[in-house]
Amino acid sequence: MLDHMGVSVRDMERSRAFYLAVLAPLGYGIVMEANPPGGHAYVGFGAGKPEFWIGDAPAATGHLHVAFSATSRAAVDAFYTAALAAGGRDNGAPGLRPHYHPNYYGAFVFDPDGLNVEAVCHLPE
């Protein structure tokens, strides 16, 4: 089981605003922020404890896909709408993905740094 995950971003304020908007429909908010003297700035998002971190440390290269669990299909739809409004780019509109399993309902967007971010609900409608 994954306890938490962190990714590097190029523009901290832009990414902070993006993730604050797109994770709100999933019940996530900012739980912790750190900017130690001489260090890198970090923001932790979660619902109670930080589970997803962004930071201004040097960015890794390559593909990354992050999927967040949603409690309903409506939350997936709200995530997608919020992501596009916050500057995300479409990578797969909300809908069923039966090739994964019959109730897999997901939406995919690219964040400001091109990371593939998904919200998924595994429950029947």
Side-chain angles (χ1 to χ4, degrees):
M1 179 192 302
L2 183 67
D3 182 68
H4 63 274
M5 173 181 205
V7 298
S8 296
V9 298
R10 289 185 288 238
D11 184 331
M12 187 63 150
E13 288 308 309
R14 180 177 170 190
S15 292
R16 182 185 187 279
F18 176 82
Y19 282 106
L20 187 59
V22 303
L23 295 178
L26 306 179
Y28 280 60
I30 294 174
V31 178
M32 183 181 292
E33 295 187 67
N35 194 357
H40 297 284
Y42 296 94
V43 177
F45 297 87
K49 73 174 188 72
E51 297 174 28
F52 179 72
W53 292 86
I54 60 171
D56 68 357
T61 59
H63 177 77
L64 180 67
H65 174 205
V66 179
F68 292 94
S69 292
T71 57
S72 68
R73 293 178 182 189
V76 172
D77 295 343
F79 157 88
Y80 181 79
T81 300
L84 296 182
R89 291 179 295 119
D90 171 61
N91 191 30
L96 288 171
R97 305 301 197 277
H99 52 283
Y100 296 134
H101 69 70
N103 292 316
Y104 196 108
Y105 187 88
F108 302 81
V109 297
F110 290 116
D111 82 350
D113 288 294
L115 302 176
N116 184 19
V117 184
E118 173 187 4
V120 59
C121 177
H122 297 282
L123 303 173
E125 189 168 17

